[in-house]
Amino acid sequence: MAPPQSSPVRHISRRRLLTTSAATAGALLVGSSAATASATGDTWPDVIPLPNGFRPEGITIGGGPYAYLGSLGDGSIYRADLRTGQGGIISAGPGTPSVGLKLDDRGRLFVAARGQGARVVDARTGGIIASYTLTTKTPTFANDVFLTPSAAWFTDSFQPALYALPLGRDGRLPDPDEAVTVTLSGDWTQAPGEAVNANGITRTPDGKALLVVQSGAGGLHRVDPRTGATKLVDLGDAAPLTNGDGLLLLGRRLYVVQNRQNAIDVFKLAADGRSGIFEGRLTDADFDVPTTVAAHRNRLYLPNARFTTTPTPDTTYAIVSVKR
């Protein structure tokens, strides 16, 4: 395999790139509510409608009870109030897709933009703060993103690589030419052409490596962020994670969305992420090809991408919540 490409910021500590801060981890779990009855969100809606024709894929939730979703159609960003189900477009799309996205503790949305690389959106104003070309190789499909305090990591479903946007200690965004490419090797075998390979991404429980699901092959890989060397995670007798999509790690529990199976498989991982035990499968009658997952309090929230339904301007979409 070709060695990882270099960049002016390649010297930055990969340990620091991976370590998740308390603010980042806490954003998944901590919210605010004045009413005791809604402390666990039990009175909140189970299904939250999205605009007709929106075509959601990614979802992210910050410290407050708000979910942010990107459109595969025009790239618009929608914000939904988890308490009421109400919401609206906060950022008009540039006409190109928004796929996976994550919100940081500075109110910035890091968006995987399929063939257009990545962009960063101000969640308060909706303005685009920065845009990045992650690779000049084709085809390319920036699919999902995971944040650490020092980097935003992106998967590419069409190339055997991960991309990192290193962040300054004060959260400073990198210059356009400072994206780092890490080529995947080891157990990774790239399916050719436009088969969906790398998809969802998170970290291992101990924070020393990354976890990436390979959708078509159905494997979960532990990735060394310094070298790109991968090792298949030993999940025992669990069925392959075919159509594996979004990943969510809470403590040592990993939630893996399997989109066309309308299911979430749940694993208890070893601290180093090298192995895991299958704990069960979550399903819901309202699932219609869910793609990604975010957590707020005792609930998981997933957008229905409805990939088996031909999209039209009138096609309905929704977020579905399930208890975890």
Side-chain angles (χ1 to χ4, degrees):
M1 293 295 238
Q5 297 176 11
S6 61
S7 83
V9 294
R10 195 56 186 277
H11 62 276
I12 116 182
S13 166
R14 291 309 176 93
R15 177 62 180 250
R16 191 168 66 84
L17 284 176
L18 275 172
T19 305
T20 303
S21 68
T24 303
L28 289 171
L29 298 173
V30 180
S32 60
S33 175
T36 302
S38 62
T40 61
D42 287 342
T43 62
W44 297 0
D46 294 325
V47 177
I48 297 173
L50 297 171
N52 287 359
F54 185 74
R55 298 178 61 195
E57 206 279 349
I59 186 170
T60 185
I61 299 173
Y66 301 98
Y68 297 83
L69 302 100
S71 168
L72 288 175
D74 65 0
S76 292
I77 306 295
Y78 184 90
R79 188 179 83 161
D81 189 323
L82 303 178
R83 299 165 298 184
T84 65
Q86 301 299 307
I89 300 292
I90 63 161
S91 178
T96 55
S98 292
V99 197
L101 71 168
K102 291 293 185 295
L103 178 71
D104 74 0
D105 57 6
R106 292 177 171 84
R108 301 179 300 191
L109 289 161
F110 290 75
V111 184
R114 195 166 174 131
Q116 285 69 43
R119 62 181 179 274
V120 184
V121 176
D122 189 321
R124 300 178 184 88
T125 68
I128 296 176
I129 302 170
S131 296
Y132 296 92
T133 297
L134 298 176
T135 182
T136 58
K137 293 183 178 180
T138 57
T140 180
F141 181 172
N143 195 329
D144 208 354
V145 56
F146 175 71
L147 298 179
T148 74
S150 298
W153 289 90
F154 294 82
T155 57
D156 189 332
S157 290
F158 293 165
Q159 294 291 331
L162 301 180
Y163 312 113
L165 296 180
L167 305 175
R169 292 186 181 276
D170 58 353
R172 181 188 65 83
L173 295 174
D175 293 334
D177 62 351
E178 291 185 323
V180 176
T181 297
V182 178
T183 301
L184 299 176
S185 60
D187 284 349
W188 192 272
T189 300
Q190 182 81 3
E194 297 189 358
V196 177
N197 286 273
N199 199 329
I201 181 171
T202 186
R203 63 174 179 85
T204 57
D206 63 8
K208 295 181 179 180
L210 296 166
L211 294 171
V212 175
V213 65
Q214 189 176 14
S215 293
L220 181 68
H221 289 258
R222 183 184 187 273
V223 184
D224 184 330
R226 298 167 300 170
T227 66
T230 77
K231 185 71 176 176
L232 277 168
V233 178
D234 181 1
L235 298 177
D237 295 330
L241 299 175
T242 308
N243 299 317
D245 205 321
L247 301 181
L248 174 65
L249 182 73
L250 298 177
R252 287 174 53 190
R253 184 162 285 118
L254 178 69
Y255 297 87
V256 183
V257 182
Q258 289 176 268
N259 53 41
R260 292 177 189 261
Q261 283 91 320
N262 290 311
I264 311 164
D265 279 0
V266 186
F267 298 89
K268 186 69 172 291
L269 297 181
D272 61 9
R274 296 181 187 274
S275 62
I277 298 171
F278 178 67
E279 291 193 322
R281 170 169 281 197
L282 301 176
T283 60
D284 191 275
D286 289 315
F287 283 166
D288 192 349
V289 195
T291 45
T292 52
V293 58
H296 189 74
R297 296 185 175 155
N298 69 331
R299 291 193 176 206
L300 302 174
Y301 290 85
L302 302 91
N304 276 337
R306 306 195 69 190
F307 288 153
T308 57
T309 300
T310 301
T312 73
D314 297 320
T315 303
T316 59
Y317 295 96
I319 306 167
V320 178
S321 73
V322 295
K323 289 186 178 179
R324 59 182 178 89

